[in-house]
Amino acid sequence: MKQARIVLVNTSHPGNIGAAARAMKNMGQSDLCLVDPQRYPSAEATARASGADDLLARAKCFGTLNGAIADAVLVIGTSARSRSLPLPMLDPRACAKLVYEQPDTKTVAILFGRERTGLSNEELDRCHYLVQIPSNPEYSSLNIAAAVQIIVYELSLLAGDPVNAGQTEIDYATAQQMEQFYDHLEETLVELEFLDPVNPKQLMRRLRRLFGRTRPDQNEINILRGILTAMNKKCS
Ligand code: SAH
């Protein structure tokens, strides 16, 4: 089975963590990551995981989202609603197809938000795409484990489907490399007095959208970093 890393961010109810683990194991997924869970480990999580307690035991726990997605070359957020600065949207089927198009050696992360408030804007800044599960517009928010179930079910439907056959492998920059690039870009724009740190507005968010859409590879990100370094030298 093609694997995607399922990342649960700041989950408040341990039962939901267990139920998500079970949903994953049912569909042949095993890479579960927890970011700052509010109550974990917990007997409730283990009970709800049922026979998927092995997957729960192997789940990696991180204090921040950075650690959970550092090596990911593609980050997909999930949300019950569209957001103010929109990301490219996918439905669960298109999401599964996109995951399958990535080489097996590369990590794809799918993020699930808090039960009450979902993913923050800063977390969505890390995403290339947003998946929305079509649902009742008047009651669109699913239980988080139910949302995980649907996303991993769509992945399971594509098992054995050679959608990626014959594609050349692109060495995309990882989430960590992109973050280092954005830090460097921001510092440089401040140095150039293009970006006012007192009143940054949405500039960095918009630039993230731009570079997120193009998904630079390792070579391209090195060129961009080189350009920034050349600008830094001229400024100093
Ligand atoms: N009010 C919050 C609801 C969070 S529900 C919001 O609008 O984001 C908890 C999590 O379950 C969400 O962060 C998302 O990861 C997932 N989820 C719930 N309903 C979803 C839907 N219709 N499509 C995609 N993900 C959904």
Side-chain angles (χ1 to χ4, degrees):
M1 176 68 61
K2 179 89 177 176
Q3 295 292 307
R5 179 173 301 158
I6 301 297
V7 182
L8 308 184
V9 180
N10 199 212
T11 313
S12 57
H13 196 305
N16 281 336
I17 299 175
R22 180 178 187 167
M24 286 174 65
K25 189 167 176 180
N26 282 146
M27 298 299 139
Q29 295 292 321
S30 60
D31 188 359
L32 174 62
C33 265
L34 309 176
V35 175
D36 191 26
Q38 292 183 21
R39 283 191 288 140
Y40 190 80
S42 147
E44 218 175 330
T46 312
R48 287 288 297 281
S50 190
D53 49 345
D54 59 326
L55 203 151
L56 204 55
R58 272 185 287 128
K60 289 171 229 97
C61 217
F62 294 91
T64 66
L65 182 58
N66 276 337
I69 63 170
D71 60 334
V73 295
L74 179 66
V75 183
I76 302 172
T78 57
S79 177
R81 57 200 163 97
S82 42
R83 306 296 182 118
S84 51
L85 246 188
L87 283 168
M89 295 291 294
L90 301 168
D91 64 18
R93 200 145 296 177
C95 167
K97 186 167 179 294
L98 183 64
V99 170
Y100 264 83
E101 281 165 5
Q102 311 308 310
D104 290 342
T105 51
K106 305 287 183 197
T107 302
V108 179
I110 307 180
L111 316 186
F112 293 82
R114 297 156 189 82
E115 286 90 333
R116 220 173 294 148
T117 52
L119 294 165
S120 70
N121 282 334
E122 289 67 36
E123 286 152 2
L124 290 169
D125 281 344
R126 312 295 301 273
C127 298
H128 294 94
Y129 292 87
L130 201 56
V131 194
Q132 203 172 2
I133 299 164
S135 53
N136 180 352
E138 275 134 47
Y139 189 58
S140 62
S141 176
L142 280 73
N143 166 270
I144 181 174
V148 169
Q149 184 76 76
I150 287 172
I151 298 298
V152 294
Y153 171 68
E154 288 293 338
L155 286 175
S156 78
L157 288 184
L158 289 186
D161 202 357
V163 284
N164 196 27
Q167 282 196 10
T168 46
E169 205 171 296
I170 298 173
D171 233 353
Y172 288 115
T174 63
Q176 188 173 41
Q177 289 166 331
M178 288 308 293
E179 227 36 44
Q180 288 160 349
F181 165 66
Y182 291 130
D183 284 346
H184 194 172
L185 179 61
E186 187 169 6
E187 281 162 27
T188 308
L189 293 176
V190 170
E191 203 176 327
L192 290 169
E193 292 177 13
F194 185 83
L195 172 63
D196 177 2
V198 184
N199 185 20
K201 302 201 182 118
Q202 296 273 57
L203 180 65
M204 286 314 296
R205 185 156 284 151
R206 288 192 184 280
L207 291 171
R208 279 173 176 273
R209 297 292 140 102
L210 169 65
F211 287 106
R213 276 203 309 275
T214 61
R215 279 185 82 196
D217 64 23
Q218 306 270 344
N219 231 324
E220 291 160 344
I221 213 71
N222 286 340
I223 294 168
L224 289 169
R225 291 293 298 269
I227 293 172
L228 292 176
T229 303
M231 288 162 114
N232 301 145
K233 280 197 189 122
K234 280 277 177 200
C235 285
S236 59

